[in-house]
Coordinates of all heavy atoms in Angstrom, one line a residue:
S366 N 86.5 132.7 96.4 CA 86.6 133.6 95.3 C 86.4 135.1 95.7 O 86.9 136.0 95.0 CB 85.4 133.3 94.3 OG 84.2 133.5 94.9
Q367 N 85.8 135.4 96.9 CA 85.7 136.8 97.3 C 86.9 137.2 98.1 O 87.1 138.4 98.3 CB 84.4 136.9 98.1 CG 84.4 136.3 99.5 CD 83.1 136.5 100.3 OE1 82.6 135.6 100.8 NE2 82.6 137.7 100.4
G368 N 87.6 136.3 98.6 CA 88.8 136.6 99.4 C 89.0 135.6 100.6 O 88.1 134.8 100.9
F369 N 90.1 135.8 101.2 CA 90.4 134.8 102.3 C 91.4 135.4 103.2 O 92.4 136.1 102.8 CB 91.0 133.5 101.7 CG 91.3 132.4 102.7 CD1 90.3 132.0 103.6 CD2 92.5 131.8 102.7 CE1 90.6 131.0 104.5 CE2 92.8 130.8 103.6 CZ 91.9 130.4 104.5
I370 N 91.2 135.2 104.5 CA 92.1 135.6 105.5 C 92.6 134.3 106.2 O 91.8 133.4 106.4 CB 91.4 136.5 106.6 CG1 90.9 137.8 105.9 CG2 92.4 136.8 107.7 CD1 90.0 138.6 106.8
E371 N 93.9 134.2 106.4 CA 94.4 132.9 106.8 C 93.5 132.3 108.0 O 92.9 133.1 108.8 CB 95.8 132.9 107.2 CG 96.1 133.8 108.4 CD 97.5 133.5 108.9 OE1 98.5 134.1 108.4 OE2 97.6 132.8 109.9
P372 N 93.4 131.0 108.1 CA 92.4 130.3 108.9 C 92.6 130.3 110.4 O 92.1 129.5 111.1 CB 92.3 128.9 108.3 CG 93.7 128.7 107.8 CD 94.2 130.0 107.3
L373 N 93.4 131.2 110.9 CA 93.8 131.2 112.4 C 92.6 131.2 113.3 O 92.6 130.6 114.4 CB 94.8 132.4 112.6 CG 95.4 132.4 114.0 CD1 96.2 131.1 114.3 CD2 96.4 133.6 114.0
E374 N 91.6 131.9 112.9 CA 90.4 132.0 113.8 C 89.2 131.3 113.1 O 88.0 131.5 113.5 CB 90.1 133.4 114.2 CG 91.1 134.1 115.1 CD 90.9 133.8 116.6 OE1 89.9 133.2 117.0 OE2 91.7 134.3 117.4
A375 N 89.4 130.6 112.0 CA 88.4 129.8 111.4 C 87.1 130.6 111.0 O 86.0 130.3 111.3 CB 88.0 128.6 112.2
T376 N 87.4 131.7 110.3 CA 86.3 132.7 110.0 C 85.7 132.5 108.6 O 84.7 133.2 108.4 CB 86.8 134.1 110.2 OG1 88.1 134.2 109.5 CG2 87.0 134.5 111.6
A377 N 86.3 131.7 107.8 CA 85.8 131.7 106.4 C 84.4 131.3 106.2 O 83.7 132.0 105.4 CB 86.8 130.9 105.5
L378 N 83.9 130.3 106.9 CA 82.5 129.9 106.7 C 81.6 131.0 107.2 O 80.5 131.2 106.7 CB 82.2 128.6 107.5 CG 82.3 127.4 106.6 CD1 83.7 127.2 105.9 CD2 82.1 126.1 107.5
L379 N 82.0 131.8 108.2 CA 81.2 132.9 108.7 C 81.1 134.0 107.6 O 80.0 134.5 107.3 CB 81.8 133.5 109.9 CG 81.3 134.9 110.4 CD1 79.8 134.9 110.7 CD2 82.1 135.3 111.6
F380 N 82.2 134.2 106.8 CA 82.1 135.2 105.7 C 81.1 134.7 104.7 O 80.3 135.4 104.1 CB 83.4 135.4 105.1 CG 84.3 136.4 105.8 CD1 85.3 136.0 106.6 CD2 84.0 137.7 105.7 CE1 86.1 136.9 107.3 CE2 84.8 138.7 106.4 CZ 85.8 138.2 107.2
I381 N 81.1 133.4 104.4 CA 80.2 132.8 103.4 C 78.8 133.0 103.8 O 77.9 133.5 103.1 CB 80.5 131.3 103.2 CG1 81.8 131.0 102.7 CG2 79.4 130.6 102.4 CD1 82.3 129.5 102.7
Q382 N 78.5 132.7 105.1 CA 77.2 132.8 105.6 C 76.7 134.2 105.6 O 75.6 134.5 105.1 CB 77.2 132.3 107.1 CG 75.9 131.9 107.7 CD 76.2 131.5 109.1 OE1 77.3 131.0 109.4 NE2 75.2 131.6 110.0
Q383 N 77.5 135.2 106.1 CA 77.1 136.5 106.1 C 76.9 137.2 104.7 O 76.0 138.0 104.5 CB 78.0 137.4 107.0 CG 77.9 136.9 108.5 CD 78.2 137.9 109.5 OE1 79.0 138.8 109.2 NE2 77.8 137.8 110.7
T384 N 77.9 136.8 103.8 CA 77.8 137.4 102.5 C 76.4 137.0 101.9 O 75.7 137.8 101.3 CB 79.0 136.9 101.6 OG1 80.2 137.2 102.3 CG2 79.0 137.5 100.2
A385 N 76.1 135.7 102.0 CA 74.9 135.2 101.4 C 73.6 135.7 102.1 O 72.7 136.2 101.5 CB 74.9 133.7 101.3
E386 N 73.6 135.7 103.4 CA 72.5 136.1 104.2 C 72.2 137.6 103.9 O 71.0 138.0 103.7 CB 72.7 136.0 105.7 CG 72.9 134.6 106.2 CD 71.6 133.9 106.6 OE1 70.5 134.5 106.3 OE2 71.6 132.8 107.2
N387 N 73.2 138.4 103.9 CA 73.0 139.8 103.7 C 72.6 140.1 102.3 O 71.8 141.1 102.1 CB 74.3 140.6 104.1 CG 74.5 140.6 105.6 OD1 73.6 140.4 106.4 ND2 75.7 140.8 106.0
F388 N 73.0 139.3 101.4 CA 72.6 139.5 100.0 C 71.1 139.2 99.9 O 70.3 139.9 99.1 CB 73.4 138.7 99.0 CG 73.2 139.1 97.6 CD1 73.7 140.3 97.1 CD2 72.4 138.3 96.8 CE1 73.4 140.6 95.8 CE2 72.1 138.7 95.5 CZ 72.6 139.9 95.0
V389 N 70.6 138.2 100.6 CA 69.2 137.8 100.5 C 68.4 139.0 101.0 O 67.3 139.4 100.5 CB 68.9 136.6 101.3 CG1 67.4 136.4 101.6 CG2 69.4 135.3 100.6
K390 N 68.9 139.7 102.1 CA 68.2 140.8 102.6 C 68.1 141.9 101.6 O 67.0 142.6 101.4 CB 68.9 141.4 103.8 CG 68.7 140.5 105.1 CD 69.3 141.2 106.3 CE 69.4 140.1 107.4 NZ 70.6 140.3 108.2
V391 N 69.2 142.1 100.8 CA 69.2 143.2 99.8 C 68.1 142.8 98.7 O 67.3 143.6 98.3 CB 70.5 143.3 99.1 CG1 70.5 144.2 97.9 CG2 71.6 143.8 100.1
L392 N 68.1 141.5 98.3 CA 67.1 141.1 97.3 C 65.7 141.3 97.8 O 64.8 141.7 97.0 CB 67.3 139.6 97.0 CG 68.5 139.2 96.1 CD1 68.5 137.7 95.8 CD2 68.4 139.9 94.7
E393 N 65.5 141.0 99.1 CA 64.1 141.1 99.6 C 63.7 142.6 99.6 O 62.5 142.9 99.5 CB 64.0 140.5 101.0 CG 64.0 139.0 100.8 CD 64.0 138.2 102.2 OE1 64.4 138.8 103.2 OE2 63.7 137.0 102.1
Q394 N 64.7 143.5 99.8 CA 64.3 144.9 99.8 C 64.1 145.4 98.3 O 63.5 146.4 98.1 CB 65.4 145.8 100.4 CG 65.4 145.7 101.9 CD 66.7 145.9 102.6 OE1 67.7 146.4 102.0 NE2 66.8 145.7 103.9
G395 N 64.6 144.6 97.4 CA 64.2 144.9 96.0 C 65.0 146.0 95.3 O 64.8 146.4 94.2
D396 N 66.0 146.5 96.0 CA 66.8 147.6 95.4 C 68.2 147.1 95.0 O 69.1 146.8 95.8 CB 67.0 148.7 96.5 CG 67.9 149.9 96.0 OD1 68.2 149.9 94.8 OD2 68.3 150.7 96.9
L397 N 68.4 147.0 93.7 CA 69.7 146.5 93.2 C 70.5 147.7 92.6 O 71.4 147.5 91.7 CB 69.5 145.4 92.2 CG 68.7 144.2 92.6 CD1 68.8 143.1 91.6 CD2 69.2 143.7 94.0
G398 N 70.2 148.9 93.0 CA 70.9 150.1 92.4 C 72.3 150.2 92.9 O 72.8 149.5 93.7
E399 N 73.0 151.2 92.3 CA 74.4 151.4 92.5 C 74.7 151.7 94.0 O 75.6 151.1 94.6 CB 74.9 152.6 91.7 CG 76.3 152.6 91.2 CD 76.9 151.3 90.8 OE1 76.2 150.5 90.0 OE2 78.0 151.0 91.2
A400 N 73.8 152.5 94.6 CA 74.0 152.8 96.1 C 73.9 151.6 96.9 O 74.6 151.4 97.9 CB 73.0 153.9 96.5
A401 N 73.0 150.7 96.5 CA 72.8 149.5 97.3 C 74.0 148.6 97.2 O 74.5 148.0 98.2 CB 71.6 148.7 96.8
H402 N 74.6 148.5 95.9 CA 75.8 147.8 95.7 C 76.9 148.3 96.7 O 77.6 147.6 97.3 CB 76.3 148.1 94.3 CG 75.8 147.1 93.3 ND1 74.6 147.1 92.7 CD2 76.4 146.1 92.6 CE1 74.4 146.2 91.8 NE2 75.5 145.5 91.8
D403 N 77.1 149.7 96.7 CA 78.1 150.3 97.4 C 78.0 150.0 98.9 O 79.0 149.6 99.6 CB 78.2 151.8 97.2 CG 78.7 152.1 95.8 OD1 79.2 151.2 95.1 OD2 78.5 153.3 95.4
R404 N 76.8 150.2 99.4 CA 76.5 149.9 100.9 C 76.9 148.5 101.2 O 77.5 148.2 102.2 CB 75.0 150.2 101.2 CG 74.7 151.6 101.6 CD 73.3 151.6 102.3 NE 72.3 151.0 101.6 CZ 71.6 151.6 100.6 NH1 71.9 152.8 100.2 NH2 70.6 150.9 99.9
Y405 N 76.4 147.6 100.4 CA 76.6 146.2 100.6 C 78.1 145.8 100.7 O 78.7 145.2 101.6 CB 75.9 145.3 99.6 CG 76.2 143.9 99.7 CD1 75.4 143.1 100.5 CD2 77.2 143.2 99.0 CE1 75.6 141.7 100.7 CE2 77.4 141.9 99.1 CZ 76.6 141.1 100.0 OH 76.9 139.8 100.1
N406 N 78.8 146.3 99.6 CA 80.3 146.0 99.5 C 81.1 146.6 100.7 O 82.0 146.0 101.2 CB 80.8 146.5 98.2 CG 80.3 145.5 97.1 OD1 80.3 144.3 97.2 ND2 80.0 146.1 95.9
E407 N 80.7 147.9 101.1 CA 81.3 148.5 102.2 C 81.2 147.6 103.5 O 82.1 147.5 104.3 CB 80.7 149.9 102.5 CG 81.4 151.0 101.7 CD 80.5 152.2 101.7 OE1 79.7 152.5 102.6 OE2 80.6 153.0 100.7
G408 N 80.0 147.1 103.7 CA 79.7 146.3 104.8 C 80.6 145.0 104.8 O 81.3 144.7 105.9
V409 N 80.7 144.3 103.7 CA 81.5 143.1 103.6 C 83.0 143.5 103.8 O 83.8 142.8 104.5 CB 81.3 142.3 102.3 CG1 82.1 141.0 102.4 CG2 79.9 142.1 102.1
N410 N 83.4 144.6 103.2 CA 84.8 145.0 103.3 C 85.2 145.3 104.7 O 86.3 145.0 105.2 CB 85.1 146.2 102.4 CG 85.2 145.7 100.9 OD1 85.4 144.6 100.6 ND2 84.9 146.7 100.0
A411 N 84.3 146.0 105.5 CA 84.6 146.4 106.9 C 84.8 145.1 107.7 O 85.6 145.0 108.6 CB 83.5 147.2 107.4
H412 N 84.0 144.1 107.4 CA 84.1 142.8 108.1 C 85.4 142.2 107.8 O 86.1 141.7 108.7 CB 82.9 141.9 107.7 CG 82.8 140.7 108.5 ND1 82.0 139.6 108.1 CD2 83.4 140.3 109.6 CE1 82.2 138.6 109.0 NE2 83.0 139.0 109.9
F413 N 85.8 142.2 106.6 CA 87.1 141.7 106.2 C 88.3 142.4 106.9 O 89.2 141.8 107.5 CB 87.4 141.8 104.7 CG 87.1 140.5 104.0 CD1 85.8 140.2 103.5 CD2 88.1 139.5 103.7 CE1 85.5 139.0 102.8 CE2 87.8 138.3 103.1 CZ 86.6 138.0 102.6
E414 N 88.2 143.8 106.9 CA 89.3 144.5 107.5 C 89.4 144.3 109.0 O 90.5 144.1 109.5 CB 89.1 146.0 107.3 CG 88.7 146.4 105.8 CD 89.9 146.5 104.9 OE1 90.7 147.4 105.1 OE2 90.0 145.7 104.0
G415 N 88.2 144.3 109.7 CA 88.2 144.1 111.1 C 88.8 142.7 111.5 O 89.6 142.6 112.4
T416 N 88.4 141.7 110.7 CA 88.9 140.4 111.0 C 90.4 140.3 110.7 O 91.2 139.7 111.4 CB 88.2 139.3 110.1 OG1 86.8 139.5 110.4 CG2 88.6 137.9 110.4
R417 N 90.8 140.9 109.5 CA 92.3 140.9 109.2 C 93.1 141.5 110.4 O 94.1 141.0 110.8 CB 92.5 141.8 107.9 CG 94.0 141.9 107.6 CD 94.3 143.1 106.7 NE 93.9 144.3 107.4 CZ 93.7 145.5 106.8 NH1 93.8 145.6 105.5 NH2 93.3 146.6 107.6
D418 N 92.6 142.7 110.9 CA 93.3 143.3 112.0 C 93.5 142.5 113.2 O 94.5 142.5 113.9 CB 92.7 144.7 112.3 CG 93.0 145.7 111.2 OD1 93.8 145.4 110.3 OD2 92.4 146.8 111.3

Side-chain angles (χ1 to χ4, degrees):
S366 64
Q367 73 180 128
F369 182 54
I370 298 169
E371 65 165 80
L373 188 53
E374 294 274 357
T376 44
L378 265 54
L379 166 59
F380 278 102
I381 294 169
Q382 197 180 334
Q383 294 207 335
T384 302
E386 295 274 9
N387 290 337
F388 191 74
V389 166
K390 284 185 199 145
V391 173
L392 283 182
E393 284 174 346
Q394 282 155 11
D396 175 11
L397 303 192
E399 208 43 41
H402 271 77
D403 290 346
R404 269 196 310 277
Y405 176 85
N406 287 321
E407 274 163 26
V409 185
N410 287 338
H412 187 194
F413 261 88
E414 312 279 291
T416 303
R417 177 204 60 199
D418 286 351

